[in-house]
Tab-separated table of all heavy atoms in Angstrom:
chain	number	residue	atom	x	y	z
A	6	ASN	N	-0.742	1.347	-16.190
A	6	ASN	CA	-1.576	2.388	-15.596
A	6	ASN	C	-1.509	2.341	-14.068
A	6	ASN	O	-1.388	3.360	-13.410
A	6	ASN	CB	-3.029	2.253	-16.059
A	6	ASN	CG	-3.194	2.601	-17.509
A	6	ASN	OD1	-3.021	3.747	-17.913
A	6	ASN	ND2	-3.538	1.606	-18.324
A	7	PHE	N	-1.557	1.140	-13.545
A	7	PHE	CA	-1.557	0.994	-12.090
A	7	PHE	C	-0.166	0.989	-11.513
A	7	PHE	O	0.023	1.365	-10.328
A	7	PHE	CB	-2.388	-0.227	-11.690
A	7	PHE	CG	-3.861	0.059	-11.747
A	7	PHE	CD1	-4.536	0.076	-12.949
A	7	PHE	CD2	-4.550	0.353	-10.586
A	7	PHE	CE1	-5.889	0.392	-12.998
A	7	PHE	CE2	-5.892	0.654	-10.613
A	7	PHE	CZ	-6.562	0.688	-11.831
A	8	ILE	N	0.821	0.625	-12.287
A	8	ILE	CA	2.194	0.790	-11.839
A	8	ILE	C	2.498	2.283	-11.677
A	8	ILE	O	3.143	2.694	-10.685
A	8	ILE	CB	3.189	0.143	-12.824
A	8	ILE	CG1	2.930	-1.378	-12.896
A	8	ILE	CG2	4.625	0.406	-12.429
A	8	ILE	CD1	3.700	-2.077	-13.982
A	9	LEU	N	2.039	3.093	-12.595
A	9	LEU	CA	2.215	4.555	-12.481
A	9	LEU	C	1.472	5.094	-11.263
A	9	LEU	O	1.972	5.946	-10.527
A	9	LEU	CB	1.746	5.264	-13.743
A	9	LEU	CG	2.573	5.018	-15.007
A	9	LEU	CD1	1.994	5.801	-16.163
A	9	LEU	CD2	4.047	5.396	-14.814
A	10	LEU	N	0.253	4.581	-11.003
A	10	LEU	CA	-0.470	5.005	-9.799
A	10	LEU	C	0.313	4.652	-8.532
A	10	LEU	O	0.391	5.458	-7.596
A	10	LEU	CB	-1.856	4.358	-9.735
A	10	LEU	CG	-2.895	4.939	-10.686
A	10	LEU	CD1	-4.110	4.040	-10.772
A	10	LEU	CD2	-3.321	6.353	-10.262
A	11	ALA	N	0.922	3.463	-8.533
A	11	ALA	CA	1.751	3.068	-7.399
A	11	ALA	C	2.912	4.045	-7.204
A	11	ALA	O	3.272	4.427	-6.091
A	11	ALA	CB	2.275	1.648	-7.575
A	12	GLY	N	3.504	4.480	-8.342
A	12	GLY	CA	4.597	5.453	-8.290
A	12	GLY	C	4.127	6.788	-7.760
A	12	GLY	O	4.860	7.479	-7.019
A	13	ILE	N	2.930	7.190	-8.100
A	13	ILE	CA	2.380	8.461	-7.596
A	13	ILE	C	2.134	8.361	-6.105
A	13	ILE	O	2.414	9.310	-5.351
A	13	ILE	CB	1.105	8.812	-8.373
A	13	ILE	CG1	1.443	9.145	-9.833
A	13	ILE	CG2	0.368	9.981	-7.719
A	13	ILE	CD1	0.233	9.230	-10.748
A	14	ILE	N	1.587	7.253	-5.650
A	14	ILE	CA	1.351	7.042	-4.226
A	14	ILE	C	2.675	7.120	-3.469
A	14	ILE	O	2.773	7.753	-2.400
A	14	ILE	CB	0.677	5.684	-3.987
A	14	ILE	CG1	-0.764	5.713	-4.533
A	14	ILE	CG2	0.686	5.290	-2.519
A	14	ILE	CD1	-1.437	4.370	-4.645
A	15	ARG	N	3.740	6.562	-4.023
A	15	ARG	CA	5.054	6.628	-3.418
A	15	ARG	C	5.540	8.091	-3.283
A	15	ARG	O	6.038	8.486	-2.238
A	15	ARG	CB	6.077	5.849	-4.255
A	15	ARG	CG	6.057	4.363	-4.090
A	15	ARG	CD	6.914	3.682	-5.146
A	15	ARG	NE	8.248	4.283	-5.273
A	15	ARG	CZ	9.324	3.879	-4.598
A	15	ARG	NH1	9.223	2.873	-3.757
A	15	ARG	NH2	10.495	4.454	-4.775
A	16	GLN	N	5.383	8.846	-4.350
A	16	GLN	CA	5.885	10.219	-4.342
A	16	GLN	C	5.087	11.119	-3.407
A	16	GLN	O	5.648	11.961	-2.713
A	16	GLN	CB	5.890	10.766	-5.762
A	16	GLN	CG	6.927	10.103	-6.671
A	16	GLN	CD	7.108	10.867	-7.951
A	16	GLN	OE1	7.328	12.080	-7.966
A	16	GLN	NE2	7.014	10.159	-9.088
A	17	ILE	N	3.777	10.967	-3.419
A	17	ILE	CA	2.958	11.835	-2.558
A	17	ILE	C	3.218	11.567	-1.080
A	17	ILE	O	3.319	12.505	-0.275
A	17	ILE	CB	1.459	11.614	-2.866
A	17	ILE	CG1	1.090	12.151	-4.256
A	17	ILE	CG2	0.578	12.302	-1.815
A	17	ILE	CD1	-0.311	11.848	-4.694
A	18	THR	N	3.356	10.295	-0.733
A	18	THR	CA	3.506	9.940	0.679
A	18	THR	C	4.943	9.897	1.160
A	18	THR	O	5.199	9.938	2.370
A	18	THR	CB	2.887	8.559	0.933
A	18	THR	OG1	3.614	7.555	0.188
A	18	THR	CG2	1.419	8.528	0.539
A	19	GLY	N	5.892	9.777	0.226
A	19	GLY	CA	7.290	9.627	0.614
A	19	GLY	C	7.597	8.263	1.208
A	19	GLY	O	8.649	8.079	1.854
A	20	GLU	N	6.722	7.312	0.971
A	20	GLU	CA	6.929	5.952	1.470
A	20	GLU	C	6.712	4.961	0.341
A	20	GLU	O	6.091	5.266	-0.681
A	20	GLU	CB	5.955	5.606	2.602
A	20	GLU	CG	6.153	6.434	3.856
A	20	GLU	CD	5.323	5.869	4.994
A	20	GLU	OE1	5.440	4.693	5.295
A	20	GLU	OE2	4.531	6.656	5.574
A	21	SER	N	7.229	3.748	0.509
A	21	SER	CA	7.087	2.728	-0.523
A	21	SER	C	5.607	2.364	-0.713
A	21	SER	O	4.781	2.568	0.190
A	21	SER	CB	7.878	1.477	-0.131
A	21	SER	OG	7.296	0.836	0.962
A	22	TYR	N	5.328	1.803	-1.864
A	22	TYR	CA	3.982	1.270	-2.103
A	22	TYR	C	3.674	0.192	-1.068
A	22	TYR	O	2.561	0.139	-0.523
A	22	TYR	CB	3.874	0.716	-3.500
A	22	TYR	CG	2.529	0.027	-3.768
A	22	TYR	CD1	1.435	0.773	-4.216
A	22	TYR	CD2	2.362	-1.338	-3.534
A	22	TYR	CE1	0.202	0.160	-4.421
A	22	TYR	CE2	1.132	-1.936	-3.752
A	22	TYR	CZ	0.065	-1.184	-4.196
A	22	TYR	OH	-1.158	-1.800	-4.396
A	23	ALA	N	4.654	-0.674	-0.779
A	23	ALA	CA	4.451	-1.758	0.192
A	23	ALA	C	4.025	-1.206	1.537
A	23	ALA	O	3.094	-1.729	2.198
A	23	ALA	CB	5.716	-2.586	0.314
A	24	ASN	N	4.697	-0.147	2.006
A	24	ASN	CA	4.346	0.445	3.302
A	24	ASN	C	2.970	1.067	3.259
A	24	ASN	O	2.195	0.974	4.231
A	24	ASN	CB	5.369	1.518	3.697
A	24	ASN	CG	6.665	0.922	4.192
A	24	ASN	OD1	6.769	-0.296	4.416
A	24	ASN	ND2	7.686	1.748	4.383
A	25	ASN	N	2.626	1.688	2.152
A	25	ASN	CA	1.280	2.269	2.013
A	25	ASN	C	0.217	1.192	2.053
A	25	ASN	O	-0.822	1.358	2.716
A	25	ASN	CB	1.177	3.059	0.707
A	25	ASN	CG	1.654	4.507	0.866
A	25	ASN	OD1	0.938	5.343	1.409
A	25	ASN	ND2	2.881	4.759	0.410
A	26	LEU	N	0.435	0.099	1.349
A	26	LEU	CA	-0.544	-1.000	1.360
A	26	LEU	C	-0.738	-1.539	2.772
A	26	LEU	O	-1.862	-1.804	3.195
A	26	LEU	CB	-0.079	-2.104	0.422
A	26	LEU	CG	-1.126	-3.218	0.195
A	26	LEU	CD1	-2.241	-2.750	-0.755
A	26	LEU	CD2	-0.454	-4.466	-0.357
A	27	GLN	N	0.384	-1.673	3.474
A	27	GLN	CA	0.310	-2.178	4.838
A	27	GLN	C	-0.482	-1.239	5.756
A	27	GLN	O	-1.394	-1.667	6.502
A	27	GLN	CB	1.728	-2.361	5.410
A	27	GLN	CG	1.809	-3.001	6.766
A	27	GLN	CD	1.429	-4.472	6.773
A	27	GLN	OE1	1.565	-5.167	5.773
A	27	GLN	NE2	0.903	-4.930	7.907
A	28	LYS	N	-0.213	0.076	5.676
A	28	LYS	CA	-0.828	1.038	6.576
A	28	LYS	C	-2.231	1.410	6.158
A	28	LYS	O	-3.072	1.693	7.039
A	28	LYS	CB	0.034	2.309	6.636
A	28	LYS	CG	1.387	2.136	7.292
A	28	LYS	CD	2.168	3.450	7.294
A	28	LYS	CE	3.533	3.302	7.974
A	28	LYS	NZ	4.278	4.603	7.956
A	29	ARG	N	-2.503	1.431	4.865
A	29	ARG	CA	-3.788	1.946	4.394
A	29	ARG	C	-4.811	0.875	4.116
A	29	ARG	O	-6.034	1.171	4.127
A	29	ARG	CB	-3.584	2.765	3.116
A	29	ARG	CG	-2.737	4.008	3.321
A	29	ARG	CD	-2.468	4.756	2.021
A	29	ARG	NE	-1.734	5.978	2.279
A	29	ARG	CZ	-2.294	7.133	2.652
A	29	ARG	NH1	-3.599	7.211	2.772
A	29	ARG	NH2	-1.536	8.181	2.884
A	30	ILE	N	-4.399	-0.377	3.908
A	30	ILE	CA	-5.343	-1.428	3.586
A	30	ILE	C	-5.257	-2.588	4.583
A	30	ILE	O	-6.230	-2.928	5.236
A	30	ILE	CB	-5.072	-1.993	2.165
A	30	ILE	CG1	-5.109	-0.880	1.101
A	30	ILE	CG2	-6.078	-3.110	1.837
A	30	ILE	CD1	-6.451	-0.236	0.880
A	31	ILE	N	-4.072	-3.149	4.736
A	31	ILE	CA	-3.946	-4.392	5.517
A	31	ILE	C	-4.214	-4.146	7.013
A	31	ILE	O	-4.997	-4.887	7.624
A	31	ILE	CB	-2.544	-5.006	5.286
A	31	ILE	CG1	-2.425	-5.482	3.821
A	31	ILE	CG2	-2.310	-6.167	6.266
A	31	ILE	CD1	-1.043	-5.993	3.448
A	32	GLU	N	-3.582	-3.142	7.592
A	32	GLU	CA	-3.746	-2.899	9.016
A	32	GLU	C	-5.134	-2.414	9.410
A	32	GLU	O	-5.742	-2.928	10.362
A	32	GLU	CB	-2.675	-1.935	9.535
A	32	GLU	CG	-1.293	-2.560	9.531
A	32	GLU	CD	-0.183	-1.603	9.982
A	32	GLU	OE1	-0.512	-0.435	10.335
A	32	GLU	OE2	1.003	-2.022	9.960
A	33	PRO	N	-5.721	-1.445	8.707
A	33	PRO	CA	-7.075	-0.987	9.082
A	33	PRO	C	-8.113	-2.103	9.007
A	33	PRO	O	-9.053	-2.131	9.809
A	33	PRO	CB	-7.400	0.102	8.072
A	33	PRO	CG	-6.086	0.587	7.584
A	33	PRO	CD	-5.167	-0.598	7.605
A	34	LEU	N	-7.937	-3.027	8.080
A	34	LEU	CA	-8.902	-4.120	7.923
A	34	LEU	C	-8.499	-5.361	8.691
A	34	LEU	O	-9.229	-6.353	8.701
A	34	LEU	CB	-9.026	-4.475	6.420
A	34	LEU	CG	-9.610	-3.377	5.551
A	34	LEU	CD1	-9.629	-3.815	4.100
A	34	LEU	CD2	-11.031	-3.006	5.996
A	35	GLU	N	-7.335	-5.318	9.333
A	35	GLU	CA	-6.829	-6.455	10.109
A	35	GLU	C	-6.782	-7.728	9.270
A	35	GLU	O	-7.198	-8.800	9.701
A	35	GLU	CB	-7.657	-6.672	11.374
A	35	GLU	CG	-7.661	-5.462	12.299
A	35	GLU	CD	-8.462	-5.692	13.590
A	35	GLU	OE1	-8.845	-6.854	13.857
A	35	GLU	OE2	-8.708	-4.713	14.288
A	36	LEU	N	-6.275	-7.566	8.058
A	36	LEU	CA	-6.132	-8.710	7.152
A	36	LEU	C	-4.965	-9.555	7.617
A	36	LEU	O	-3.819	-9.067	7.689
A	36	LEU	CB	-5.918	-8.205	5.713
A	36	LEU	CG	-7.021	-7.315	5.164
A	36	LEU	CD1	-6.704	-6.928	3.716
A	36	LEU	CD2	-8.403	-7.958	5.267
A	37	LYS	N	-5.195	-10.804	7.904
A	37	LYS	CA	-4.187	-11.687	8.469
A	37	LYS	C	-3.535	-12.599	7.443
A	37	LYS	O	-2.603	-13.347	7.770
A	37	LYS	CB	-4.814	-12.559	9.578
A	37	LYS	CG	-5.487	-11.769	10.679
A	37	LYS	CD	-4.527	-10.847	11.400
A	37	LYS	CE	-5.197	-10.133	12.581
A	37	LYS	NZ	-4.319	-9.151	13.226
A	38	HIS	N	-3.999	-12.528	6.197
A	38	HIS	CA	-3.482	-13.452	5.169
A	38	HIS	C	-3.145	-12.691	3.878
A	38	HIS	O	-3.267	-13.211	2.781
A	38	HIS	CB	-4.524	-14.526	4.838
A	38	HIS	CG	-4.880	-15.365	6.028
A	38	HIS	ND1	-5.770	-14.959	7.001
A	38	HIS	CD2	-4.443	-16.606	6.399
A	38	HIS	CE1	-5.868	-15.890	7.922
A	38	HIS	NE2	-5.083	-16.903	7.581
A	39	SER	N	-2.691	-11.433	4.027
A	39	SER	CA	-2.356	-10.601	2.877
A	39	SER	C	-0.956	-10.010	3.072
A	39	SER	O	-0.702	-9.334	4.071
A	39	SER	CB	-3.387	-9.480	2.719
A	39	SER	OG	-4.675	-9.992	2.462
A	40	PHE	N	-0.079	-10.254	2.076
A	40	PHE	CA	1.301	-9.857	2.197
A	40	PHE	C	1.872	-9.469	0.836
A	40	PHE	O	1.448	-9.987	-0.205
A	40	PHE	CB	2.139	-11.050	2.711
A	40	PHE	CG	1.547	-11.746	3.880
A	40	PHE	CD1	0.821	-12.913	3.724
A	40	PHE	CD2	1.709	-11.242	5.172
A	40	PHE	CE1	0.253	-13.577	4.814
A	40	PHE	CE2	1.168	-11.893	6.263
A	40	PHE	CZ	0.410	-13.055	6.082
A	41	MET	N	2.846	-8.567	0.860
A	41	MET	CA	3.580	-8.307	-0.361
A	41	MET	C	4.365	-9.557	-0.761
A	41	MET	O	4.662	-10.407	0.075
A	41	MET	CB	4.541	-7.117	-0.173
A	41	MET	CG	3.823	-5.781	0.074
A	41	MET	SD	2.645	-5.367	-1.233
A	41	MET	CE	3.739	-5.157	-2.617
C-alpha cells in the first residue's frame, strides 16, 4: 500500500521518492540523523 503511495508521489512530482523525502520532511525539520 505504501510502496504504491511512494510511486504516486514520484509520478505527481516528477522526482524520486528519496528527493521528496529530503525536500518535504528532512530539510524542513532540519533532521540531522535521517537518511535514505
Side-chain angles (χ1 to χ4, degrees):
N6 290 294
F7 281 78
I8 297 171
L9 292 180
L10 285 168
I13 292 168
I14 291 167
R15 281 170 49 91
Q16 291 192 52
I17 291 174
T18 63
E20 294 190 55
S21 69
Y22 175 88
N24 285 351
N25 274 282
L26 188 76
Q27 185 70 27
K28 292 180 179 179
R29 295 176 177 276
I30 304 293
I31 293 174
E32 291 178 2
L34 295 176
E35 299 182 11
L36 302 181
K37 304 300 184 184
H38 300 80
S39 298
F40 313 98
M41 294 304 296

